[in-house]
Each structure stands twice: as structure tokens, then as C-alpha cells.
Amino acid sequence: MREKAYAPYSNYEVGAAVETDTGEIIGGCNVESSSYGLTCCAERTALFRAISEGHRKFTSLAVSTENGGMPCGACRQVIWDLCKDITVHICDKDKLLKTIHASDLLPDAFDETFLK
Ligand code: THU
């Protein structure tokens, strides 16, 4: 998925893939905008794509960058909202660097339980 990244401004290419409870793997890449704040990260592209295709339960997420970059704050919130405490694999361009959980990325998360 990194090869599909549209990152002409940062040149920082990111790929992500989410695994569904039915064993499907759905990918996404970062898609940048000339109005930088409108950029969508690879993690959110993959998750929004999966949701759009009707998936609702996820078991793991993998993220790949050149140098092992970690998910940004916005993606941490969206991962928690849509996936709760799934396994997250962090990779660089060659290999798996570490495996963590969404709760490690966003401790004491805000979520829908506060809205009820
Ligand atoms: N990026 C991601 O795709 N995921 C992250 O979690 C961090 C940042 C992208 C956004 C932007 O296109 C580029 O990396 C540089 O910030």
C-alpha cells in the first residue's frame, strides 16, 4: 500500500492494512491535499474503506512507513472508535518493528461510553 501513497507534499509514504473478523485484508494509503490539513492518513483511509465496504469488526491493523513512524493522534482516536483494543503492527519499509495494542496508543481514550 505504501507504493500507492499520494504524498507529493511531504514525500512521506504510508501504507496501512486492516484485517476483518472474516479474514479479509483491506488496505489504504495516505492521500495528501494542497490544503495540507485535508490530508487523510493511511490508517484512516484503510478503516474508512473497510467500513464503506460493510465491515464492522476488525482484528488487527498494520502500518508501514519508511522509518517506523507511529500513527498520529487523529488516527489513534479513529482506531479506538472503530476497532477498540485491536492488535497494531508497526513496520518500517522492510520488516515488522513491534506489535502493540490500540490501548497503548491511546490510554484513557474518549469514546462513545461518555456520550450515553
Ligand atoms: N501520515 C499517515 O498516513 N499516518 C500517520 O499516522 C501519520 C502521518 C501521513 C500524513 C501525511 O501524508 C504524511 O504522513 C506526513 O505527515
Side-chain angles (χ1 to χ4, degrees), residues 20 26 38 40 44 59-60 65 71 105:
T20 72
I26 295 167
L38 302 183
C40 191
R44 280 176 285 150
T59 52
S60 66
T65 62
L105 293 172

Side-chain angles (χ1 to χ4, degrees), residues 3 6 15 18 25 27-28 32 34 38 40 44 46 53 56 62-63 68 71-72 83-84 89 99 106 115:
E3 292 174 2
Y6 180 74
V18 62
I25 295 175
E32 296 187 344
S34 61
L38 302 183
C40 191
R44 280 176 285 150
E53 292 179 6
R56 287 293 184 274
V63 185
C72 78
C83 309
K84 289 297 180 283
H89 302 292
T99 296
L106 195 67
L115 299 175

Side-chain angles (χ1 to χ4, degrees), residues 5-16 28-33 36 39-45 63-65 69-76 79:
Y6 180 74
Y9 307 106
S10 73
N11 293 310
Y12 192 72
E13 296 167 340
V14 187
C29 60
N30 53 330
V31 182
E32 296 187 344
S33 169
Y36 301 160
T39 290
C40 191
C41 291
E43 299 92 319
R44 280 176 285 150
T45 302
V63 185
S64 174
T65 62
M70 296 294 290
C72 78
C75 288
R76 293 176 190 216
I79 293 166

Side-chain angles (χ1 to χ4, degrees), residues 60-65 67-68 87-100:
S60 66
L61 175 79
V63 185
S64 174
T65 62
N67 55 4
T87 301
V88 180
H89 302 292
I90 305 295
C91 309
D92 66 12
K93 66 183 190 308
D94 300 315
K95 61 189 179 304
L96 175 66
L97 296 177
K98 60 180 168 181
T99 296
I100 55 177

